[in-house]
Structures are given as structure tokens and as C-alpha cells.
Amino acid sequence: MTKVNVTINGQPVEAEAGMTILEAAQLAGIDVPTFCYDPQLFGAGACRICVVEVENARNLPASCVTPIWEGMVINTESEKVVQARKANLSLLLANHPLDCLTCEKSGECKLQDYCYKYGVTESDFVGDVKDFPLEESNPFFERDMNKCILCGKCVQVCHEINGAGAIDYAFRGFASTISPAFGEPVENSPCVFCGMCTDICPVGALTPKLSKFKGRAWEINKVKTICPYCGTGCAIDLHVKGNEVVGASGNREGLANKGHVCVKGHYGWDFIHSPDRLTKPLIKKDGKFEEASWEEALSLVADKFKAAGAEGLAGLSSARCTNEDNYLFQKLLRVMGSNSVDHCARL
Amino acid sequence: MTAKPKIVVGLGTCGIAAGGREIYNAIEKALTENNIDAELTQTGCIGACENEVLVDIAKPGQPRISYGKVTEEKIGEVVTNHLLHDKIDREFALGKIGEGELSAEYDDLPYFFTDLPFYEKQVRLCLRNCGFINPEKIDEYVERDGYQALKQVITEMKPEEVVEVIKSSGLRGRGGGGFSTGMKWQFTMNAVGDKKYVVCNADEGDPGAFMDRSILEGDPHSVMEGMAIAGYAVGADEGYIYCRAEYPLAVNRLKMAIEQAKEKNFLGDNIFGTDFSFNLKVKEGAGAFVCGEETALLMSIEGKRGMPRPRPPFPANEGLFGKPTCLNNVETFANVPVVILDGPEKFASIGTEGSKGTKVFALTGSINRTGLAEVPMGITLEEVVYDVAGGIIDDGKFKAVQAGGPSGGCIPEDLLHLPIDYDSLTEAGAMMGSGGLVVMGEDTCMVDIARYFLSFTQIESCGKCTPCREGTKRMLEILERIVAGEGKPDDIEKLKTLGEAISATALCGLGQTAPNPVLTTLRYFQEEYEQHIFDKRCVAGICVDLMFYLIDAELCNGCGRCRKACPVSAISGDKKEVHVIDKETCIKCGVCVEKCKQEAISLQS
Ligand SMILES: Cc1cc2nc3c(=O)[nH]c(=O)nc-3n(C[C@H](O)[C@H](O)[C@H](O)COP(=O)(O)O)c2cc1C
Ligand code: SF4
Ligand code: SF4
Ligand code: SF4
Ligand code: FES
């Protein structure tokens, strides 16, 4: 890798050729605010909050999409930059409902964080505000386009990562918004409810319904686990408040999924605390299920296997098992003398 | 074949709008009725749009006579007089073109291009064929050296040599940015790719601009020839012309021209028997201003929503469908055959140090001669406004000229000496843009003009980036407040800081330049903003909310008609006594003005 030397906030940084200013800054441990940037997405350069000052440049370039060059002198917090960021935040605030008191995103909202950082308490501009109806007719998430800051990340994740292409920009100018085709509710679009858009939204415009009013960001402990629904092995974070699971999201460290999830891993966690859930084995006695110990249940199964003999034994395994599980399962049956093995995904 | 007289009717969009088709039919009728054997044909815009409908009549061996502003009733007579009696109707005759025998009686007729003040200072390179050839007949283009430049290039030159020629001509992009065309071609030529494209930007979305439309309507082959030459130079075998669907005539003529060029093998496979192949497609745009921005344009051709993306990567490296793409403006391409045939030295001898050749301007606004003018770079704004355009209507006083459309700025009288070149205009806060020049007289309110342009950019913003989408909206709201008489003392400061922040941080040229009309009017006409805000006055008399109706006590005879007509009873006065209007109550409907027989009531600022 060719090295490129730049100076960021007076500090010499040895970065790699092809890096953006933002990446070089991150390498040097310098934090630059971003709304629309995500390393998994193509550089959009939409929100302009990440602008920095570059010596001898005409404008303030967006650091997330501007490549570095040898000898570049960058200031990420100059007076000009701070003024520009304040103006940007002020413009966003002028068109944003300030209901942080009940907003699900409060505490992990980037708009809130940056307004705090730059001391923007209210907007310099009063005027028209957007007025879109809340969209909540689907079972999984709410879309409140009045809170949307049009960073475009949901559109990108839906097109570039999921491939569903359910939503896109609509209209122009101040009327711009993100919408499924023809302004239909999202359930009438190709949306598959993966919910990755809700994970990536930097503000409270897209929020999962199941988690609503179940906990604030700072009360939630994210516990990494593997999604139990299929053999892919996606890493997800269970959002735990106290001893209760109140949500889930993709975990980017997951080698299999890099944070991407499907509808089940994202929204299918509510069985965990379901009163209907089986937590102990049941044995049917006199036509009625009765709780039993594991010892008792397993012995019963073993006895029945013996009674049936190899000829009378067949196995059906589950798509929720990994390849390795399935392999062992068929091995087990064959050891027991039966070749009658099948799998639910073949149905 | 014995030569026939030829009659040419101007049927560009301007000619058609002025009734060109009816004139054409009337001529046809006159020819049949009088049994005259003449060739009746059409041509594109010759530039003098205000003189449309233009009809040129030429008898063999005689100069061609241009008639302007002809009427449906009189045209038959004009034609028969000319063709049967050699009589030229001086009511309509504008001038003569070319040489030939003509009765001495008409010696005083001016030469169209050299004597008419509109054309005197023009140099017609790009528009060399507009108004001369029938754009729907490829042979007429070929007769005027059409496709000779392409032939020369692909049979005699290497691609690198072509790029060198374009570079040394000093040709810069005519689409607004003014980037060196030769350099752009070089980057595309050097870019690695199994497939490359040439794209022509014919989106032309600026209000008041119609240069590109006129070229496409009047001489589509010159643009196509330029594109094919570019294709050879950069190594592309396919091109797109992105033309707005609101230009149906241009789109049709382009499609027709492409078909005709294919038949003649000026397009298609193995052009001129070489192994160079080049094909062209027309893609119609839906009329978004932002789709004129090159990256948005490419997205739109790909079938996506037209939204700009950051550069780098530049289209030369990653353009259409991710392939290296050479993208230029209509006028840029139309210049290319001229550069090749006349040689780069000749082209570079026109213009200034940094800006070579000519520029076509669409002249509109309060001027005597509106239309399309091609002038050499370096000509002053003053020459364009006064000599070419004939000064302000009704001997009015000049106030400002808006150069560069919504991305440009208003230039005041004391900068009229500025030469027209890329750098001088940018320095003045305006820009060359694509070539719209809107000339404004004293009766123009600069705050209102700024508001108008901003209302345009705001609705045309693609919505992608915050400064442009939200910022132009707030600037517009402030301006709307000021023209409504509700301006606040800190509004000027707010406009300046917000405008500067938008310019510095927006993603694409639309947002970066959107504040220009406001910033330049603030720079040159700040006192007008102050009058609106502090004195609640609009001296130009444009902002209705700042005006009031006044009854002239000298003229009022106390008839009371106005008092009875006023819907809000704002007028009081006894019979036969002078009446007065209460400013607070008045809703400025203007009914009283209509009712007053004495003409005593007028709007005052
Ligand atoms: C908002 C916006 C609108 C534009 N519209 C046009 C246009 O209508 N025609 C055009 O040729 N260039 C337009 N441009 C400039 C193009 O992006 C591009 O620079 C140009 O077409 C390149 O061609 P050239 O080098 O021949 O000038 C526009 C740019 C912006 C930012
Ligand atoms: S839930 Fe998934 S598929 Fe649906 S809109 Fe969001 S990203 Fe697209
Ligand atoms: S909904 Fe969220 S992710 Fe989507 S554009 Fe708006 S702010 Fe960005
Ligand atoms: S500057 Fe305006 S038009 Fe350009 S990308 Fe931003 S929002 Fe879109
Ligand atoms: S984070 Fe760079 S433009 Fe949005």
C-alpha cells in the first residue's frame, strides 16, 4: 500500500492512498460527524455535515467522499467548518419535530448528539415545516417522514444491500421525501421487512413497533448472540432492558452477515418472553400433556426408539439447524440403522 | 436541371410559434395559384427571433433576400412580387445575403450579416448553418462541408492527434463549467475500459436559455459530427444525446438526422470504410433542471432518478454504466467540426487569452432585439447589450444583466465594460453559464429577481443535500418576506451567511451556485434590499405589497365611482370633493383604478 502523508488539525497522519479524508481522520482517532456515511454503502455525500476545511480548496469538501492527496492540510473543526455545521444543523432543526421527550431514538440520535456538540439549541430559521402522516399500517416498523433528515441511508441499504429496492427519494426541493412507489404504504411495495433501514437510520424516522415505549437507549444493554432462526448464523444484538429482551438488531461484527438481517432475526424475538413458550418437556398421559423432567422424557424417547427398531425409525430435521447439526443428525440415524432421513426445507 | 427559385421559411420553434407553419402554407398556396415553379423549404432559427416569421427568397443568380415579420395576408403578395416582377417589398425586407445581380434600385438594401446591427458584431461558427440549411435534409449539410471533418479525422489522424488539435484550439466547455474540452477528451482517451461512451448534454434547463435548442433544431448534424469525432478520439463506439422532452422539434430532427446519417454511413459500422464504428441514440429527459448536471444526467440515462453524485470519480473515468464517458454540451460539440476544418490556430485566434472562439447567447429581457447571437469571446457586455441587442426598450435605462441563469448573477451598469469570458464573469460573481443573458431595465426590482431565481432553484433542487434542499427554502422564505414588506433588520445578514454556507457546502453545482443571484444583487444593489426592509419601498414599482393606491387631488372630481366600487370601503370623500384612500384598509385589488374616469388613481411606491 502506498502511503500518503496528510496533516489533520496540525497532526501529521500517515494514511493509505485511496482513503477519504474521513477515513484518514478516523485512522488518526479524530472524530468527524456524519449522517449519511456508512462504510458499507457507496459514498453519497448527501448530508454535508462532515465538511472540513482543506487548505487552498475553494469550498468545504465533504470528508466522507473526498480522497486525500499527498501533503493535504485538513482542519476538521476550523471556525468556518463549525459555522457550516451549525448552519446545517440549524436548517435540519427548522424542519424537524423536536419531540425528543418521547422519541424512541433519543439517546442514540445523531441529530441530538451533534446539536449538543455544537450547541445548537434552536433553529435560526422559522418557516414551513413538513407535514406527512405517520405511516404505521405494517406490523413491523413506523415511518415518520417528518423526522427524516433525508440522509438517504435507508434507500441505499434497501437497494445496495437488501436488493429489495422498496423505497426511494420522491419529489424535489423542499417537498423531497423518502417513499415507496406511488406513495403507497410500505407493505404494498417490494419491502421484505428486513428492517435494515430502521437499524441504519441516524434519527427517529424509522422505528421498530415492537420496541416502542419498551426502553430508552441508555437503559438498553446490547447482547451479541446468533440468530436462532436458520443455519446462516447471523450475528444479532438482543436489546436487553433489565432481564427482558425488548428488541433486536444486526450486529456488524458477525462474520456471516456483517450486520445484515432478515425479518425473522430482526422482529421475531418476541417469542422469548411468550407465556406459550415450552420451557420444560411434556409427556402425554391419559390424553393430557403433563410436565416431566428431561431425564424422564429422554428415557421415554430412547425406549420408543428401541421398540420401533431400525426399520420403524425415520428422522426429519430442521432448517433452523446448521449444516453441521444436520450432518450429525443423519449420521445418528444411520448409526441407529435407518436411512430414512429428511429435512423440512425439502418440502 | 434548371435552377429554380428557392423560398426558405424559418421553422425553428421561434418561427413556428410566430406562425411559420401558416406562412409556409400560404406560400404554398400562392405558388400553386400563380403557377410558380419554386422550391419551398424550411430552415432552423437564424437568431433574429424577434423578426420571425422570417422568409428568404432567392432567384437563381440573385442574392437571397430576407424578409422579416411577414404576415399571412401579405406573404403571397411578397412572394409573387419578388418572383414574378422582381419587386422587393421594402416593408418586410431586412437585407440581402450573398452576391448576385439585383436591380440598382435595391443597391441600398443592407447586407444581412454585415450591415444589420444585430449581426454586425457576430461571428457565426457554431451557428454557421442555422438559418441556411434545411435541417431535415442531410444533403444540405453535406453541401456545406458536412462530415468532412469526420472524414479527415478518421482517415488521416490518430486519436491522440485529434485530442492535441482540440487542446491547442483552446476550446472550453460551453455547458457552464468551462473545462478544457481537449483535456476532458484526453482523460477519457487515457481511461482504461472495454467500452466507452460519448454523451451530449442537451438538457438546457435554464429559464431563458435556448441556444442548444436552436442548434439542434437548425443544424443537428454538426452536433452529431462533433460527437462522432469525439468517439473516435476517446475510443467510444456509442453515444447518447440527452435532450429534454420539452424540445419535441429538436428530438424529432435529431432522430431524423440520425437515420439519414446512418443511411449515408456517417454513423454506423465501418464509417468511411475504416474500422471505426459509432452509433447514436436520443434519450429524452423529463425536464428536471438538475438532470443537466453531468452525473445526474448519466443516472437519468441509466433509468435512475437523476441525482448528482460526488466527483471523483469523474465521468471520464467512471461515467455511463460505470464506463469511461466523454460528456460535452451541444455547443461544444457543434464547435468541433469547425476547429478541425479551419484548424485550431484559426479558432484560437478568436477570443481572449483564456477563452477562445465564440459563445452563443440567448438575449432576452427588456431589449430591442431579442434572439440568439454568437459573439466572439472577449466582446464587452456593453457591446452585446447596446450594439447587438439594440439597448433597452423604449430608450429605457439599463439596470442590470443576469448572466448564467439561475446559477449566475446580476451585473450592474458600472461593470458593463467587462469582457465576456469565463474568468471575468466568475470574478463578478456571475458566470458564463450556458449563455442566457437577461437584460433588465429600471423597472426591475432586484429583490424580486433574486426571489424569482431562488424559487426556481428551490423547486429544482434534487433534495439530496441539506444545504441546498433546506437552505434555499429558507433563503426563499426570507426573500418572500422582504418583497411582502415584512423584511426584518437582520435578514440581509442572514441571507449573506446562509448563502455563503450553501455555496461552500452543497454537493453539486446547482446548490453551490443557487445563492449567486441573491449574493450578487446584495453585492451590487444592497440599498434596494434596505429600501424594502426599512423604508417599505420598492422603487421599481414591482412589489405590490409595498405599493399603495393614491388619488391625485388635482384630477379627482369627486364623482364617487371609486368609493362605491371599493369592496372594503377604503375610500372616503364627499360628493364633488376630493376622495382619499385609507392605506390600511385598502386590499390593493385595483378596482378603483378601473372605475375612475378621470384617471386620477395610480399605484405609488
Ligand atoms: C444544475 C446544473 C445544470 C446544468 N445544466 C446543464 C445543461 O443544461 N447543459 C449543459 O450542457 N451543461 C449543464 N450543466 C453542466 C454539466 O454538468 C457539464 O459540466 C457540462 O455539460 C459539460 O460539458 P462541457 O464541458 O462541454 O461544458 C449543468 C450543471 C449543473 C450543476
Ligand atoms: S425493511 Fe428492508 S426491504 Fe423493507 S424498506 Fe427497509 S430495507 Fe427495504
Ligand atoms: S428515514 Fe432515516 S435513514 Fe432514511 S433518509 Fe430519513 S433519516 Fe435517513
Ligand atoms: S446541491 Fe442541490 S441539486 Fe445538487 S445534490 Fe445537493 S440537493 Fe441535489
Ligand atoms: S457524512 Fe459526508 S456527506 Fe454525509
Side-chain angles (χ1 to χ4, degrees):
Chain A
M1 267 290 173
T2 335
K3 297 287 175 194
V4 173
N5 294 293
V6 299
T7 310
I8 309 183
N9 301 348
Q11 170 189 341
V13 178
E14 194 189 60
E16 275 161 26
M19 275 188 167
T20 60
I21 298 176
L22 179 69
E23 284 162 342
Q26 285 171 342
L27 188 74
I30 296 165
D31 199 27
V32 179
T34 62
F35 283 124
C36 72
Y37 167 79
D38 189 294
Q40 293 189 347
L41 304 173
F42 286 112
C47 73
R48 317 310 282 180
I49 197 71
C50 72
V51 292
V52 294
E53 193 167 346
V54 172
E55 224 172 76
N56 298 326
R58 194 165 47 96
N59 289 334
L60 301 176
S63 61
C64 68
V65 287
T66 308
I68 49 166
W69 63 73
E70 182 63 36
M72 198 181 215
V73 179
I74 303 149
N75 192 331
T76 67
E77 296 290 336
S78 71
E79 198 186 318
K80 259 196 192 158
V81 169
V82 170
Q83 281 313 320
R85 290 207 188 123
K86 281 187 174 174
N88 189 311
L89 291 168
S90 184
L91 287 170
L92 288 175
L93 276 200
N95 199 9
H96 192 91
L98 291 182
D99 61 0
C100 301
L101 292 184
T102 52
C103 182
E104 284 297 315
K105 201 74 177 183
S106 190
E108 53 177 5
C109 167
K110 283 199 166 190
L111 183 60
Q112 211 180 42
D113 293 350
Y114 300 148
C115 283
Y116 179 81
K117 175 168 177 183
Y118 293 103
V120 178
T121 46
E122 58 177 3
S123 181
D124 294 336
F125 311 100
V126 261
D128 279 358
V129 288
K130 12 185 197 193
D131 186 16
F132 295 104
L134 179 71
E135 194 196 311
E136 51 178 349
S137 51
N138 78 79
F140 301 107
F141 55 82
E142 289 184 359
R143 299 180 70 247
D144 183 353
M145 287 304 106
N146 298 324
K147 288 187 185 169
C148 170
I149 59 166
L150 284 154
C151 73
K153 280 201 286 200
C154 55
V155 175
Q156 280 192 283
V157 83
C158 189
H159 287 248
E160 293 169 21
I161 292 179
N162 183 302
I167 46 175
D168 208 334
Y169 284 85
F171 310 113
R172 280 203 293 264
F174 190 72
S176 304
T177 186
I178 308 289
S179 167
F182 311 116
E184 288 280 315
V186 74
E187 59 272 25
N188 293 352
S189 77
C191 173
V192 293
F193 296 101
C194 68
M196 286 195 276
C197 54
T198 61
D199 279 354
I200 212 163
C201 180
V203 295
L206 302 171
T207 48
K209 273 181 146 174
L210 272 180
S211 309
K212 197 172 179 181
F213 297 134
K214 292 245 171 75
R216 324 265 353 212
W218 53 89
E219 299 169 324
I220 281 164
N221 191 13
K222 288 187 179 168
V223 182
K224 185 180 172 191
T225 184
I226 297 296
C227 171
Y229 275 105
C230 82
T232 305
C234 295
I236 57 171
D237 282 334
L238 287 177
H239 300 189
V240 182
K241 180 184 168 189
N243 206 22
E244 193 191 350
V245 175
V246 295
S249 55
N251 180 301
R252 293 218 169 183
E253 287 161 17
L255 293 180
N257 65 322
K258 301 197 169 77
H260 313 158
V261 281
C262 78
V263 60
K264 291 179 282 185
H266 210 159
Y267 299 121
W269 48 265
D270 53 334
F271 69 90
I272 295 173
H273 301 293
S274 167
D276 297 339
R277 184 176 161 192
L278 284 186
T279 49
K280 293 208 176 92
L282 302 178
I283 293 174
K284 205 178 223 176
K285 288 176 185 160
D286 304 328
K288 271 180 81 185
F289 280 114
E290 279 175 23
E291 269 188 20
S293 71
W294 282 108
E295 183 62 48
E296 206 182 333
L298 288 172
S299 317
L300 178 68
V301 172
D303 290 344
K304 296 240 167 165
F305 280 176
K306 276 183 209 150
E311 284 296 298
L313 189 63
L316 185 67
S317 127
S318 163
R320 292 177 67 159
C321 304
T322 62
N323 272 348
E324 292 79 358
D325 293 339
N326 281 317
Y327 176 79
L328 290 174
F329 179 75
Q330 60 85 29
K331 198 89 188 161
L332 175 73
L333 279 211
R334 289 185 213 280
V335 167
M336 292 199 288
S338 170
N339 283 331
S340 307
V341 193
D342 214 335
H343 184 275
C344 75
R346 217 175 63 86
L347 286 177
Chain B
M1 199 178 83
T2 47
K4 284 193 222 172
K6 189 168 177 177
I7 305 173
V8 187
V9 184
L11 287 185
T13 294
C14 44
I16 293 172
R21 292 233 160 93
E22 290 74 24
I23 298 283
Y24 189 94
N25 295 339
I27 298 176
E28 209 163 34
K29 198 165 144 230
L31 292 177
T32 334
E33 279 172 4
N34 294 283
N35 257 326
I36 304 174
D37 183 21
E39 181 191 348
L40 176 60
T41 175
Q42 57 167 322
T43 189
C45 169
I46 200 163
C49 305
E50 47 126 15
N51 284 314
E52 293 286 2
V53 179
L54 281 150
V55 174
D56 286 11
I57 306 180
K59 287 181 82 169
Q62 291 187 1
R64 170 170 169 170
I65 307 297
S66 235
Y67 295 93
K69 293 192 185 165
V70 295
T71 59
E72 211 178 327
E73 301 78 54
K74 292 276 187 73
I75 187 64
E77 211 175 296
V78 172
V79 170
T80 45
N81 275 340
H82 188 131
L83 293 182
L84 299 178
H85 313 298
D86 280 314
K87 271 186 68 182
I88 295 171
D89 191 330
R90 287 186 180 266
E91 187 190 344
F92 299 108
L94 295 171
K96 53 190 173 196
I97 302 169
E99 294 303 328
E101 280 183 34
L102 202 62
S103 148
E105 168 190 359
Y106 300 117
D107 273 355
D108 62 322
L109 263 189
Y111 279 100
F112 194 81
F113 286 117
T114 43
D115 295 340
L116 290 188
F118 182 67
Y119 288 103
E120 228 180 306
K121 295 210 164 166
Q122 293 199 37
V123 175
R124 293 167 74 86
L125 300 181
C126 262
L127 302 179
R128 61 196 178 280
N129 294 324
C130 289
F132 283 97
I133 63 167
N134 181 342
E136 299 185 0
K137 290 197 174 148
I138 190 169
D139 290 338
E140 298 199 9
Y141 179 67
V142 173
E143 264 167 37
R144 291 172 68 103
D145 293 333
Y147 290 105
Q148 283 307 307
L150 177 64
K151 183 174 182 188
Q152 187 181 326
V153 160
I154 62 178
T155 56
E156 296 168 22
M157 294 168 80
K158 293 202 196 78
E160 303 80 51
E161 289 168 346
V162 182
V163 168
E164 253 342 286
V165 166
I166 300 297
K167 264 167 81 176
S168 62
S169 73
L171 176 62
R172 289 169 70 173
R174 302 295 194 239
F179 191 77
S180 155
T181 305
M183 293 299 287
K184 195 182 268 186
W185 289 21
Q186 186 168 37
F187 293 144
T188 323
M189 176 178 75
N190 291 341
V192 188
D194 49 351
K195 171 93 187 171
K196 295 182 188 177
Y197 292 97
V198 175
V199 174
C200 173
N201 189 340
D203 190 56
E204 195 166 57
D206 312 24
F210 49 92
M211 301 76 51
D212 296 349
R213 191 199 71 216
S214 293
I215 296 174
L216 293 173
E217 287 177 1
D219 191 15
H221 288 286
S222 67
V223 180
M224 290 157 48
E225 185 177 0
M227 291 182 75
I229 294 172
Y232 177 74
V234 305
D237 64 354
E238 200 176 346
Y240 281 87
I241 303 172
Y242 186 86
C243 184
R244 53 177 39 228
E246 292 97 324
Y247 285 177
L249 190 61
V251 169
N252 277 342
R253 288 197 175 149
L254 273 172
K255 288 184 176 164
M256 212 181 281
I258 291 173
E259 284 314 308
Q260 293 179 1
K262 273 198 218 155
E263 276 166 28
K264 300 249 175 208
N265 192 223
F266 297 141
L267 287 180
D269 293 338
N270 304 101
I271 301 172
F272 289 114
T274 65
D275 56 10
F276 173 63
S277 302
F278 191 73
N279 282 296
L280 270 181
K281 286 191 190 126
V282 179
K283 169 85 188 175
E284 287 173 58
F289 176 54
V290 73
C291 285
E293 195 280 336
E294 56 184 25
T295 58
L297 184 150
L298 295 174
M299 297 258 277
S300 177
I301 296 183
E302 290 173 8
K304 301 180 187 140
R305 178 179 160 104
M307 285 177 111
R309 60 155 175 81
R311 298 170 304 175
F314 286 91
N317 291 309
E318 273 179 50
L320 190 58
F321 302 113
K323 307 291 182 197
T325 300
C326 169
L327 186 147
N328 282 114
N329 165 260
V330 169
E331 197 182 326
T332 315
F333 281 126
N335 267 303
V336 168
V338 180
V339 172
I340 302 285
L341 288 180
D342 291 356
E345 302 79 17
K346 176 142 185 237
F347 186 85
S349 70
I350 307 167
T352 64
E353 182 62 34
S355 307
K356 300 296 186 192
T358 58
K359 178 77 194 89
V360 183
F361 285 99
L363 307 174
T364 53
S366 317
I367 36 172
N368 283 313
R369 289 189 284 270
T370 55
L372 210 61
E374 181 170 357
V375 289
M377 296 275 191
I379 192 172
T380 65
L381 280 165
E382 191 162 11
E383 286 172 284
V384 172
V385 172
Y386 288 99
D387 300 340
V388 179
I392 306 295
I393 287 179
D394 298 333
D395 287 327
K397 202 169 148 8
F398 173 91
K399 187 166 190 180
V401 52
Q402 168 83 13
S407 314
C410 285
I411 300 172
E413 186 164 24
D414 52 2
L415 291 179
L416 270 182
H417 61 274
L418 278 184
I420 297 187
D421 61 55
Y422 292 102
D423 314 303
S424 309
L425 289 180
T426 308
E427 211 167 290
M431 62 189 266
M432 182 82 90
S434 47
L437 280 185
V438 187
V439 182
M440 293 170 277
E442 279 283 275
D443 55 354
T444 316
C445 167
M446 301 319 278
V447 187
D448 188 58
I449 280 292
R451 183 202 57 79
Y452 164 73
F453 279 114
L454 216 68
S455 68
F456 176 82
T457 32
Q458 158 57 212
I459 49 172
E460 292 295 335
S461 156
C462 83
K464 183 168 178 173
C465 69
T466 313
C468 172
R469 180 190 68 242
E470 310 286 331
T472 55
K473 170 73 177 176
R474 300 309 166 200
M475 286 182 81
L476 177 62
E477 284 178 342
I478 295 174
L479 291 168
E480 281 170 344
R481 221 168 48 216
I482 298 177
V483 297
E486 287 156 25
K488 296 179 191 156
D490 64 346
D491 278 348
I492 292 181
E493 205 42 48
K494 264 192 181 168
L495 284 174
K496 278 187 191 164
T497 39
L498 187 52
E500 278 157 16
I502 298 170
S503 296
T505 62
L507 167 58
C508 87
L510 191 154
Q512 287 164 9
T513 57
N516 282 353
V518 183
L519 295 176
T520 49
T521 46
L522 274 172
R523 183 158 146 195
Y524 302 121
F525 301 94
Q526 179 157 336
E527 73 286 353
E528 223 167 291
Y529 282 81
E530 287 163 358
Q531 282 161 356
H532 280 74
I533 296 173
F534 299 107
D535 311 338
K536 307 291 175 207
R537 281 189 65 211
C538 171
V539 278
I542 295 293
C543 301
V544 180
D545 289 332
L546 296 179
M547 320 260 281
F548 54 92
Y549 284 97
L550 190 74
I551 301 177
D552 187 332
E554 301 279 302
L555 295 175
C556 174
N557 64 5
C559 73
R561 290 168 64 92
C562 59
R563 174 168 39 83
K564 289 180 206 131
C566 177
V568 290
S569 307
I571 307 180
S572 57
D574 291 334
K575 230 181 182 155
K576 304 244 163 91
E577 295 294 324
V578 171
H579 281 47
V580 285
I581 301 176
D582 177 33
K583 275 197 224 169
E584 303 299 315
T585 322
C586 170
I587 54 165
K588 296 171 190 163
C589 68
V591 165
C592 52
V593 181
E594 284 166 32
K595 293 287 172 198
C596 179
K597 289 197 168 159
Q598 295 294 106
E599 292 187 6
I601 311 179
S602 60
L603 204 53
Q604 304 281 321
S605 58

